[in-house]
Amino acid sequence: MRGSQHHRGGVRTGLLAAVCLSAVLAGCAAPAAPAGPKAAPAPEANTAPEANAAPEANAAPAAAPDADQAGAPPLAEEANSAEVVARQEAAAQHWGLERPPLKAPPRPATKPELTPVQGVKLADGRPPVVFRVPTDDKVVFLTVDDGDEKDPEFSRMAADLGIPLSTYVSDYLARENYGYFRDLHAQGVEINNHTINHRNLKVLDYDTQREEICTQQDQLEKQIGVRPRLFRPPYGEYNDDTLRAAASCGVQAVPMWNEEAFPDHMEWRYDDRKLHPGDIILTHFRGTDIWKASMPDLLRKVVNDVTAQGFALARLDDYL
C-alpha cells in the first residue's frame, strides 16, 4: 500500500481504466450507446427516455411488459413477414413460377351488392347470373369445373402457393373419388354444383333440370358436408327454368366467366384481351390425355398471366 501512495496518480489512472473496461465487458456503457452507430436493443429503444436512463426506475411491474409490447410486435411482424416472403419465393421457385403470386386483400366484410350492371344479370325470384363481380379490388377469380382429373400435385401446388379456388363438380365424374374433393375442401376450397350428369340444361324440361341440379345439391351435401350456395350450368347454357330450378334447391348465385384458361393460352370474351377487377376465369379438371399438359402446368400459366397483369387471385365464394 505504501508503494501505491508513492504512485497515486498512476493508480487513479489504472483504476479508471479498469472500471471502464469492466463496464464495457458487462455491457453497461449506456451513456455511449446513443452516440454509437448501433441502435440500442429494440424494447429499450421504444421505452421512454427516463426508462433508458434508469431502468431500475420502472417501479410498477406492469410497466416492463408494456415497454416490451411496444417494441416486440414490430420485430415479430417483420420476422413473420420475412419468413412469409421467403416461403412464397421458395414455393414460387419450386413450382416454376416467374415470380410469387400477388396476395389478395382480406375478404370483404360484406359481399358486393349486385346491381344490373355489365357482367351481372338479375331477375326477381332468380339467383343472379354473374360474369364479373362488381369490385374495385384488383382481383380475379379462378374457377375449376367438372372433376375428371384428380391430380394431387395440383391441390398441393395450390396449397403451397396459397392460390384460392372455387370448384364446380359433376357427380358422374367425381363419384369415383369424392375423397379428393373433400381434401380440397379441407384446404379452404368450396365444392359447388355443376349438375349430376353434365347435360345441356337449356334443352331439358323444368322437372329434369331440377333433378339434375337439386340431386347434385343433395349429393355434395352428403359427400362434402356443406350444401353448395353456387351453381354453374354445364357449357354455360341455361334458361329461366334453370334459374327457377336452382333457386328451388338453395342456389344463391350462378357464376359464369369472362376468360377460359388452358395450359398454353387464355381465351377472352372481350376484344381488349385484358383482365378487369372481378373477372371470373374458367378452367377444368383435365389431364395429359386431353391437354397434353398437367394441372400444375395449367395453374402455372394462369398464375403467371394474372400476376403479370398486376392482379391477385381471390376466392369467388368470398365475394358472391
Side-chain angles (χ1 to χ4, degrees):
M1 294 296 293
R2 286 194 298 270
S4 64
Q5 290 172 358
H6 291 295
H7 304 284
R8 186 168 297 165
V11 169
R12 286 175 180 169
T13 302
L15 286 173
L16 180 58
V19 169
C20 291
L21 178 60
S22 299
V24 170
L25 292 175
C28 300
K38 294 183 179 179
E44 296 173 6
N46 285 302
T47 310
E50 295 83 357
N52 278 335
E56 299 82 5
N58 292 333
D66 289 344
D68 290 344
Q69 289 168 7
L75 293 178
E77 289 173 4
E78 289 171 8
N80 290 337
S81 175
E83 291 174 4
V84 168
V85 169
R87 284 199 303 269
Q88 289 175 336
E89 290 179 348
Q93 183 176 8
H94 173 77
W95 292 105
L97 297 183
E98 294 170 1
R99 68 192 76 170
L102 298 175
K103 183 176 176 59
R107 68 180 183 180
T110 58
K111 295 178 180 180
E113 180 182 1
L114 298 179
T115 57
V117 296
Q118 181 183 13
V120 178
K121 297 181 179 181
L122 302 178
D124 290 342
R126 308 291 188 262
V129 179
V130 182
F131 292 80
R132 177 182 293 158
V133 175
T135 178
D136 292 328
D137 293 342
K138 202 166 183 184
V139 296
V140 293
F141 309 98
L142 180 60
T143 64
V144 193
D145 282 12
D146 297 351
D148 185 21
E149 182 72 11
K150 304 166 188 67
D151 187 346
E153 286 295 289
F154 171 75
S155 56
R156 188 176 298 115
M157 181 179 181
D160 286 352
L161 295 169
I163 302 299
L165 305 170
S166 181
T167 69
Y168 300 81
V169 172
S170 290
D171 178 74
Y172 88 102
L173 292 170
R175 67 175 63 126
E176 68 181 32
N177 185 6
Y178 267 111
Y180 178 80
F181 299 99
R182 283 191 289 271
D183 290 344
L184 272 178
H185 186 260
Q187 291 179 199
V189 177
E190 291 298 328
I191 312 300
N192 293 304
N193 189 335
H194 201 43
T195 72
I196 285 285
N197 295 304
H198 203 276
R199 300 173 67 184
N200 181 351
L201 299 177
K202 196 173 180 178
V203 302
L204 304 177
D205 61 37
Y206 172 80
D207 289 337
T208 307
Q209 290 198 50
R210 191 177 188 281
E211 182 179 359
E212 280 286 326
I213 300 167
C214 296
T215 305
Q216 182 64 344
Q217 288 285 92
D218 297 339
Q219 174 72 316
L220 289 174
E221 184 175 21
K222 175 184 175 182
Q223 294 291 341
I224 308 300
V226 178
R227 193 167 184 83
R229 296 183 308 101
L230 306 183
F231 158 72
R232 174 176 284 160
Y235 315 107
E237 296 289 344
Y238 72 96
N239 57 22
D240 186 65
D241 281 347
T242 311
L243 301 180
R244 187 160 60 96
S248 75
C249 48
V251 168
Q252 297 176 20
V254 178
M256 303 297 267
W257 64 90
N258 281 328
E259 295 86 24
E260 183 171 358
F262 298 86
D264 59 350
H265 71 285
M266 187 89 79
E267 292 186 355
W268 308 87
R269 184 178 298 276
Y270 299 108
D271 291 339
D272 64 0
R273 302 175 65 82
K274 293 180 180 178
L275 297 172
H276 305 85
D279 272 4
I280 300 172
I281 302 171
L282 163 70
T283 193
H284 295 85
F285 288 101
R286 290 178 180 164
T288 55
D289 56 330
I290 296 175
W291 274 341
K292 310 306 178 186
S294 67
M295 291 292 292
D297 292 332
L298 162 80
L299 189 56
R300 184 179 306 109
K301 171 66 173 173
V302 170
V303 174
N304 282 337
D305 286 357
V306 167
T307 305
Q309 291 198 35
F311 284 85
L313 287 163
R315 203 172 74 117
L316 181 61
D317 304 78
D318 292 339
Y319 284 73
L320 283 183

